[in-house]
Amino acid sequence: MVDVAWQHEDEASQDVAERARVLQKLKASDTFFRILTRSAAIFVLMMLGGVIISLISGSIPAFREFGFSFVSTQIWNPVTEKFGAVAPIYGTIVTSFLAMLIAVPFGLLIAMFLTELCPLWLRRPIGIAIELLAGIPSIIYGIWGLFVLAPFFADHVQPTLIAATRNIPVLSTLFAGPPYGIGIFTASIILAIMVLPFITSISRDVFDAVPPVLKEAAYGLGCSTWEVMRFVVLPYTRVGVIGGVMLGLGRALGETMAVTFVIGNAHKINASLLAPGTTIAATIANEFTEAVGDLYTSSLIALGLILFVITFIVLALARFLLMRIEGKVG
Amino acid sequence: MELARYSSRRRANGIAVFASVSATVIGMAILAVILGVLLWKGFGGLSLRVFTQMTPPPGSDGGLLNAIMGSLIMTGLGILIGTPIGMLAGTYMAEYGRHEKLTSVIRFINDILLSAPSIVVGLFIYEVMVRPMGHFSGVAGAVALAVLVVPVVVRTTEDMLVLVPNTLREAAASIGLPRALMIRQIGYRAARAGIITGILLAIARVAGETAPLLFTALNNQFFTSNLNAPMASLPAVIFQFALSPYNEWQSLAWTGALIITLSVLALSILARSLAGTRKTS
C-alpha cells in the first residue's frame, strides 16, 4: 500500500518504522478527507437552514408590529410605516398563474413537435436553441420587455384587446383601462417566455422516456399522432409533466429582474390585468436599498420569507413528483 | 358514418400538428427577436471606449470598465469560494455516502436551492454580512454569488462521480490505494470534463445574476478593487441605466446587456461542447 501510494517519491523506505509512520500518515489523511467532504455536505444543509433562520429573524419586527394583518391588508405606506403584503402576494400569484396558462400549452406542444414530428436533423438545433433561451439572464428579458415588448403592447396589442372585449361582461373588466404597456399583463407574458424553455425541456425528457413499444403499438392500431400523444404519451408521463410544470412555476414565482422592469411597481390590486401592479420579488428589488427604518426593512424581509415559503413548497412538490418518475424510469 | 368519424379524427390530428408546429415556430421567432434586438441595439454602442472608461455621469460619454471589472472580480471570487465547497459536498455524496439517508436529504435540499429565488439569497447575505458589517461590500456580493454556485457544482460533481465505473475504484483499492487518494487521483481524473462543465455552467448562471447583488454589493460609480467597499457590476449597472431617462445611459445598458448575453451564451456553448466530446469518445 505504501509503495503504490508513495511510488513517485524517492523517500519510499524499506525501514519498518518508517513504513509504519507513512501508513499512519495515509490513514490520517484519509480520515481527514472523509471528514472534510462530510462537513462540506452538511454545510449545504446549513446553508438552507441559514437562509430560513436569517429570514425569520429579520422579519420578526414586522410580524410583531402587524401580526396577522401583514398578510391581510393592502396598505403599503412607507411614510406612515403601515405595511400589508396582500398586493404583492396577489401580483405574484396572478402573474405566475397567467404565465403558466400560456407557457404550459406552448411547452407541451413544442415538446410534442420535438419528440413526434420533428425530422431528426432538426431535433438537435431546436433543442439547443430552447436551452439557449433558458440560459439568457433574466435582466436581458427585463430590458427587452421594457424597451421592446411594453411599447409594442401599448401601441398595438392592448388597444385591440380593450376594443375587442368592450362588450363582453367579465373580459371587459379584465382588460379595462388605459393601455400603459407596463403592468400585470406584460409581466405575465415575459414570465411565460422565461419559463417556456424549462417546461419544454423537462416535457421533452419525460416524453422521450416513454417506451417506444407503447407508441408503436398505438400507431400499429392506426392511431394518429395526436391520439398517440393524447391517449398514450400524456397519461404515461402525467406525473413527470406535472413535476416539470411545478418546477417552472417555482421559477416564475421567484423571478425578479424581468418582472421588476415591466410590472410598474404599484401597491394596488386592480381588477384590470392591464393596470400596473407589483410582485413580492419586484417590491424587494425596487425598495430594499431605499428602505429607511427597521420596520420598512423588516417588512421587506418578511415579504422575502413569504416568497421563500411559497416557492419552497412548490419546488419540494415538483422534486417529489419528478423523483417518483425517475424511480419509475430508472 | 365511419367516414365521418375518420375525417373528424383526421381533422383533430391536423389541428394538433398545426398547433405543435406553430408553437415551435413562435418559440424560435421569440428567441430570434430577442437576440436580434440585442445585437441591433447593443452593437451600436460597442466601441473601445466601453472597455476603457468608467460609467459616466448623466449626459456625458463613458464606458463600462468599472462594471465589467466588478463583475469579473465578484464572479471569480464567488466561483473560488463556491467551487471547493460544492465539489467536496458532491464527493461525499457520490463516494462515501452514496446509499446514506443523509445523501438523499442533501440531494433534495440541493435541488431546491438550485431553483430557489436568487433575491432571497440576497436577503440572506444582507442579514448575515451586510448588516453586521454596517455597509455594502464587494465581498458580500461575491459570497452571495458563491451561495448560488454551490448547488450547481454539487449537482454536477455528484452526477459525474456516480458515472465513474466501480471497476476503476476496485482496481485502485486492490493495489492498496487509500480511499482519499483513489478519489483524488482516479475519481476526479475520470470525471474531470463533467466537473469542469458544471463549473462553466455555474459561471454562466451567476454572471448574469442581478437580484442578489442589488443589496449586497450595491453599485459604484467608480472602479475599486477594495472588496470592503460597494462594487459595481454589469447587471446592476444595466438595471440602473435602463430605468434612467438618459439616452447615453440607456444605450450603455444595451451594450452591457449584449456583453453579458454573449459571454453567457459562449460559456454555455463551451460547456455543452465539452460535455458533448466526452459522450462521443
Side-chain angles (χ1 to χ4, degrees):
Chain A
M1 176 149 127
V2 180
D3 305 306
V4 177
W6 245 235
Q7 65 177 351
H8 48 280
E9 299 207 4
D10 302 328
E11 67 215 46
S13 157
Q14 296 305 313
D15 174 32
V16 178
E18 178 73 5
R19 283 176 70 106
R21 200 181 60 80
V22 172
L23 260 177
Q24 204 55 46
K25 213 165 121 188
L26 282 176
K27 209 171 167 185
S29 87
D30 217 25
T31 318
F32 172 73
F33 193 65
R34 188 192 162 90
I35 292 172
L36 186 70
T37 54
R38 197 183 161 90
S39 355
I42 288 169
F43 184 79
V44 174
L45 285 185
M46 280 167 35
M47 249 166 46
L48 184 81
V51 171
I52 295 171
I53 291 170
S54 69
L55 287 181
I56 290 177
S57 82
S59 57
I60 283 175
F63 282 121
R64 186 171 290 157
E65 174 75 23
F66 303 116
F68 185 72
S69 75
F70 186 71
V71 288
S72 64
T73 56
Q74 210 196 117
I75 309 150
W76 186 271
N77 191 338
V79 181
T80 58
E81 298 217 305
K82 288 266 176 284
F83 301 103
V86 172
I89 293 175
Y90 167 84
T92 304
I93 291 171
V94 169
T95 49
S96 302
F97 176 74
L98 284 178
M100 300 314 284
L101 211 60
I102 301 163
V104 170
F106 263 85
L108 290 180
L109 284 169
I110 297 177
M112 168 181 164
F113 179 79
L114 284 172
T115 50
E116 294 297 318
L117 298 165
C118 181
L120 269 180
W121 57 270
L122 206 60
R123 227 169 254 198
R124 233 179 103 74
I126 295 185
I128 291 176
I130 298 277
E131 273 163 48
L132 288 186
L133 203 57
I136 297 176
S138 65
I139 190 156
I140 309 297
Y141 287 97
I143 188 172
W144 184 77
L146 178 68
F147 287 115
V148 181
L149 202 62
F152 175 74
F153 274 15
D155 294 343
H156 303 285
V157 178
Q158 294 183 351
T160 326
L161 264 176
I162 293 168
T165 58
R166 185 171 296 145
N167 298 316
I168 311 170
V170 180
L171 290 182
S172 63
T173 337
L174 284 181
F175 298 109
Y180 292 116
I182 53 174
I184 301 266
F185 181 70
T186 312
S188 311
I189 303 283
I190 286 277
L191 274 181
I193 297 174
M194 286 201 62
V195 295
L196 181 63
F198 294 106
I199 294 174
T200 307
S201 75
I202 292 180
S203 315
R204 184 196 53 192
D205 291 348
V206 294
F207 285 179
D208 270 337
V210 176
V213 67
L214 279 184
K215 290 193 278 185
E216 283 157 13
Y219 279 121
L221 286 172
C223 285
S224 63
T225 311
W226 168 242
E227 284 160 354
V228 170
M229 277 307 291
R230 174 71 188 75
F231 299 111
V232 178
V233 176
L234 275 179
Y236 189 86
T237 56
R238 198 178 48 225
V239 176
V241 168
I242 295 173
V245 168
M246 301 285 268
L247 208 60
L249 180 62
R251 295 253 169 192
L253 288 168
E255 179 43 50
T256 312
M257 297 322 290
V259 174
T260 306
F261 274 95
V262 295
I263 190 105
N265 202 34
H267 279 276
K268 233 174 103 185
I269 296 180
N270 201 311
S272 169
L273 296 178
L274 304 184
T278 192
T279 68
I280 295 177
T283 303
I284 301 172
N286 263 322
E287 300 180 17
F288 197 84
T289 44
E290 288 152 21
V292 280
D294 284 344
L295 200 56
Y296 196 177
T297 311
S298 170
S299 299
L300 288 167
I301 294 176
L303 274 184
L305 179 66
I306 294 172
L307 174 68
F308 189 68
V309 170
I310 298 175
T311 48
F312 188 93
I313 293 169
V314 170
L315 290 172
L317 219 56
R319 287 298 167 195
F320 178 69
L321 291 172
L322 286 173
M323 247 154 66
R324 262 179 58 185
I325 201 152
E326 266 163 32
K328 193 164 146 192
V329 171
Chain B
M1 204 48 202
E2 276 301 303
L3 211 63
R5 190 177 168 77
Y6 178 65
S7 65
S8 91
R9 284 179 56 207
R10 271 187 64 131
R11 201 164 44 240
N13 189 50
I15 293 170
V17 169
F18 176 76
S20 170
V21 173
S22 2
T24 312
V25 170
I26 292 172
M28 295 299 107
I30 290 171
L31 178 65
V33 170
I34 291 176
L35 289 182
V37 169
L38 202 56
L39 286 173
W40 179 57
K41 294 244 193 187
F43 257 121
L46 206 56
S47 66
L48 195 64
R49 212 180 57 224
V50 171
F51 300 99
T52 55
Q53 290 182 19
M54 302 296 162
T55 46
S60 56
D61 287 338
L64 294 166
L65 176 67
N66 49 340
I68 295 173
M69 289 308 289
S71 268
L72 286 178
I73 292 172
M74 283 190 288
T75 307
L77 204 60
I79 293 285
L80 275 184
I81 301 169
T83 306
I85 298 174
M87 269 184 73
L88 288 172
T91 306
Y92 180 81
M93 290 159 73
E95 296 285 345
Y96 290 108
R98 198 182 286 194
H99 305 290
E100 280 176 22
K101 189 129 189 99
L102 177 70
T103 301
S104 13
V105 173
I106 295 175
R107 194 179 301 133
F108 190 75
I109 296 297
N110 191 63
D111 278 347
I112 286 177
L113 282 175
L114 200 59
S115 19
S118 57
I119 192 153
V120 169
V121 171
L123 288 177
F124 167 52
I125 298 300
Y126 176 86
E127 279 290 304
V128 298
M129 285 188 74
V130 177
R131 199 195 282 258
M133 285 163 76
H135 56 85
F136 300 103
S137 66
V139 66
V143 172
L145 294 182
V147 172
L148 295 169
V149 167
V150 169
V152 183
V153 178
V154 169
R155 183 73 191 266
T156 43
T157 307
E158 195 209 348
D159 286 353
M160 290 304 140
L161 282 177
V162 164
L163 285 181
V164 174
N166 260 334
T167 43
L168 278 182
R169 293 196 183 90
E170 286 157 9
S174 74
I175 55 169
L177 208 58
R179 204 163 182 185
L181 277 179
M182 182 269 283
I183 293 168
R184 286 200 297 256
Q185 299 195 346
I186 313 284
Y188 285 165
R189 215 169 280 186
R192 188 166 51 196
I195 295 176
I196 293 176
T197 304
I199 297 172
L200 288 177
L201 288 177
I203 301 176
R205 159 109 202 259
V206 299
E209 275 295 352
T210 321
L213 293 179
L214 287 177
F215 24 84
T216 50
L218 202 67
N219 203 339
N220 193 336
Q221 201 71 45
F222 306 101
F223 173 71
T224 174
S225 56
N226 179 4
L227 282 171
N228 210 12
M231 191 178 263
S233 64
L234 263 181
V237 167
I238 294 174
F239 182 52
Q240 182 196 355
F241 281 19
L243 288 172
S244 76
Y246 313 110
N247 278 331
E248 295 88 354
W249 276 19
Q250 288 184 2
S251 133
L252 271 176
W254 277 108
T255 309
L258 179 70
I259 295 172
I260 288 196
T261 311
L262 289 185
S263 6
V264 168
L265 290 187
L267 274 169
S268 38
I269 290 170
L270 185 68
R272 212 165 297 279
S273 64
L274 216 86
T277 51
R278 219 188 116 268
K279 235 177 248 165
T280 49
S281 67

